[in-house]
Amino acid sequence: MDNRVVAIDGPAGAGKSTIARLLADRIKYTYIDSGAMYRALTLKVLDSSINIADTKEIIEISKEVDIDFMDKCIYLDGKVVDKQIREERINKNVSIIAAIPDVRKNIVRIQRRISIGKNVVMDGRDVGTVIFPNAFIKFFITASLEERAMRRCAEIEASGMSVDLQDIKCQIEKRDYTDSTREDSPLMQAEDAILIDTSGKSIEEVLQVVINFINLRGGDINAI
Ligand code: DC
């Protein structure tokens, strides 16, 4: 049987990575976070002397960068950078870098390469539309802006920092706008993706909905 891809796309903070991780564990697939790769590249750019507006240099870096995703960890040049890629400076700059078409070409190549020979659950913005248009099943997971901002605030507060809901809302709105209006592979629901609004739903509820759809699709997936 061919290797299978479960594609999970959606806007920032909709809960797709939480669902994708849990789903991958449940069905014994490999989880791949496609956004972590754009974040890792952004980290490399910000830690170098390159100007964030220097598109040409950023494209050069994206050609040679060593990015990998193994055992739910993101590697940049051989080092785990899970913590660093979640810093505010990355949140603020990643969508600028992810909007550069030649950067996307290089990152999509990595995303496809590391999925070869595996059954994967991959989450992102263009998994079902660009990276794997023939995915076995596609989901588009979303939630209201209010709810996404509140979840993000709760996450930040849980890590001991204080945060302003309005600031977070503006930040998410800005990122949504950049991601969905860029010319190359904008954030959008694939025609054949199943839309799930997670507003007011628990993680377990959403996970069950996703699993039910996979079963309906005839996924002879073990452990469901
Ligand atoms: O899912 P995330 O917040 O970690 O994604 C970080 C950024 O990367 C986000 O601004 C959009 C971009 N991204 C993308 O363009 N394509 C993907 N497949 C995944 C993420």
Side-chain angles (χ1 to χ4, degrees):
M1 192 180 55
D2 287 346
N3 294 114
R4 278 181 171 170
V5 174
V6 176
I8 302 186
D9 289 305
K16 49 186 196 310
S17 66
T18 307
I19 296 298
R21 266 169 213 276
L22 289 169
L23 176 69
D25 279 348
R26 206 64 80 84
I27 67 179
K28 304 197 169 29
Y29 275 29
T30 301
Y31 169 64
I32 300 178
D33 175 352
S34 69
M37 294 172 202
Y38 291 101
R39 287 175 175 272
L41 176 64
T42 306
L43 177 64
K44 178 145 181 137
V45 170
L46 294 181
D47 281 351
S48 66
S49 51
I50 295 160
N51 188 309
I52 191 81
D54 190 344
T55 306
K56 237 170 121 188
E57 261 311 305
I58 296 173
I59 293 168
E60 281 312 305
I61 292 201
S62 75
K63 276 187 202 155
E64 303 152 5
V65 70
D66 175 12
I67 291 176
D68 206 346
F69 195 86
M70 281 185 298
D71 301 326
K72 300 197 183 92
C73 292
I74 182 82
Y75 289 78
L76 172 65
D77 297 326
K79 287 195 193 111
V80 175
V81 289
D82 288 305
K83 266 217 183 106
Q84 295 90 313
I85 64 160
R86 304 287 158 198
E87 289 169 10
E88 272 315 296
R89 61 190 184 122
I90 308 293
N91 292 343
K92 289 204 175 109
N93 290 291
V94 62
S95 35
I96 301 167
I97 288 183
I100 305 170
D102 281 338
V103 163
R104 301 198 66 81
K105 243 183 256 159
N106 294 324
I107 298 289
V108 167
R109 205 173 296 136
I110 299 174
Q111 289 159 343
R112 290 189 180 135
R113 194 194 64 225
I114 63 178
S115 306
I116 292 173
K118 300 181 185 110
N119 289 321
V120 307
V121 177
M122 186 183 284
D123 75 319
R125 304 292 189 288
D126 62 342
V127 184
T129 50
V130 175
I131 312 173
F132 292 113
N134 297 322
F136 168 67
I137 193 162
K138 304 175 186 176
F139 295 96
F140 193 84
I141 293 192
T142 186
S144 66
L145 175 64
E146 186 75 25
E147 177 133 351
R148 290 188 285 134
M150 281 186 335
R151 286 180 194 162
R152 180 83 188 110
C153 282
E155 256 172 42
I156 298 173
E157 277 163 0
S159 68
M161 285 182 285
S162 62
V163 67
D164 180 64
L165 177 65
Q166 215 47 41
D167 272 1
I168 295 293
K169 234 165 138 177
C170 286
Q171 223 185 77
I172 295 182
E173 222 170 359
K174 206 164 149 197
R175 200 133 68 88
D176 282 355
Y177 180 79
T178 318
D179 291 343
S180 50
T181 54
R182 68 180 177 223
E183 273 185 26
D184 188 359
S185 328
L187 165 68
M188 63 175 184
Q189 186 181 343
E191 263 179 32
D192 50 350
I194 298 156
L195 175 67
I196 302 176
D197 187 335
T198 66
S199 310
K201 291 195 181 77
S202 71
I203 292 167
E204 193 47 46
E205 273 173 314
V206 179
L207 189 59
Q208 208 45 60
V209 171
V210 166
I211 288 173
N212 290 346
F213 273 112
I214 295 176
N215 277 330
L216 277 175
R217 183 66 50 102
D220 51 341
I221 289 170
N222 297 329
I224 289 186

